[in-house]
């Protein structure tokens, strides 16, 4: 005789956790939780690779975009990096304080300000490219080349 209680599958009921919520609401199974864990891991690796530079991934995104695109309005910079205007302004101000970017009045429209890399910002980006490439490789290391491509494709679809 088997004294075990029937499984939820056998009983035809949905499995629940101790809070009474369906199992699909277990934290570890939620996309937000998993993305946050990946962001924590990738941020730690990024910081480890950049060492003493004390740059956030948001600051790096702005520096790299300015390096690639050249001078941009703050609005365009925010759009290209998917950073909201208030955050873009704050990050640009911190980068100005560190002499990594400069802000100038746009000669075509004196109401607009454009942002560009300073010479020290350009030198920093050039010096950090190999270390950022190392961070990317370490972050993606657990995945096969095919899985990496698939992950990036899926993340693109979600964003």
């Amino acid at each position: 005789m088997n004294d075990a209680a029937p499984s939820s599958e056998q009983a035809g009921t949905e499995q629940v956790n101790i809070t009474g919520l369906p199992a699909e609401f277990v934290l570890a199974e939620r996309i937000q939780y998993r993305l946050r864990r990946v962001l924590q891991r990738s941020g730690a690796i990024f910081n480890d690779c950049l060492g003493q530079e004390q740059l956030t991934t948001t600051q790096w995104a702005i520096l790299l975009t300015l390096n690639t695109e050249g001078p941009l309005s703050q609005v365009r910079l925010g759009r290209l990096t998917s950073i909201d205007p208030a955050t873009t302004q704050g990050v640009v101000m911190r980068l100005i304080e560190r002499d990594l970017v400069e802000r100038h009045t746009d000669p075509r429209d004196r109401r607009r300000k454009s942002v560009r890399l300073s010479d020290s910002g350009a030198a920093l980006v050039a010096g950090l490219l190999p270390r950022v490439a190392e961070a990317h490789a370490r972050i993606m290391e657990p995945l096969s080349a095919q899985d990496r491509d698939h992950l990036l494709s899926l993340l693109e679809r979600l964003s």
Side-chain angles (χ1 to χ4, degrees):
M1 179 167 143
N2 185 351
D3 291 337
S7 72
S8 60
E9 209 172 275
Q10 293 169 332
T13 62
E14 189 173 335
Q15 186 177 5
V16 295
N17 57 37
I18 66 169
T19 64
L21 293 173
E24 66 192 45
F25 288 101
V26 172
L27 180 62
E29 299 300 320
R30 306 309 300 160
I31 184 72
Q32 300 91 336
Y33 174 78
R34 289 182 180 212
L35 288 173
R36 184 175 57 80
R37 294 283 312 269
V38 170
L39 284 172
Q40 287 173 326
R41 179 179 171 273
S42 67
I45 291 169
F46 181 84
N47 291 336
D48 183 53
C49 289
L50 265 59
Q52 301 290 336
E53 300 306 330
Q54 300 293 314
L55 281 178
T56 66
T57 54
T58 304
Q59 290 170 332
W60 174 252
I62 285 179
L63 292 173
L64 187 61
T65 301
L66 290 172
N67 186 69
T68 304
E69 301 290 327
L72 295 167
S73 72
Q74 253 182 227
V75 171
R76 179 82 175 129
L77 179 59
R79 286 187 183 138
L80 289 174
T81 55
S82 299
I83 302 169
D84 67 83
T87 301
T88 301
Q89 181 178 0
V91 172
V92 166
M93 291 305 300
R94 284 186 288 286
L95 293 172
I96 288 171
E97 290 169 4
R98 293 181 61 182
D99 192 35
L100 297 175
V101 300
E102 301 168 341
R103 191 168 34 199
H104 296 279
T105 302
D106 187 325
R108 292 170 285 168
D109 183 349
R110 305 212 39 88
R111 295 170 296 173
R112 282 189 0 182
K113 301 284 185 190
S114 65
V115 181
R116 69 176 183 208
L117 282 179
S118 66
D119 291 342
S120 59
L124 180 66
V125 169
L128 289 180
L129 285 172
R131 289 162 49 187
V132 171
E134 176 193 347
H136 179 78
R138 283 178 53 194
I139 291 164
M140 300 297 266
E141 186 176 34
L143 303 176
S144 69
Q146 183 179 4
D147 284 347
R148 292 172 191 181
D149 291 342
H150 190 217
L151 173 64
L152 293 175
S153 174
L154 289 172
L155 290 173
E156 180 64 29
R157 286 173 51 195
L158 289 173
S159 63

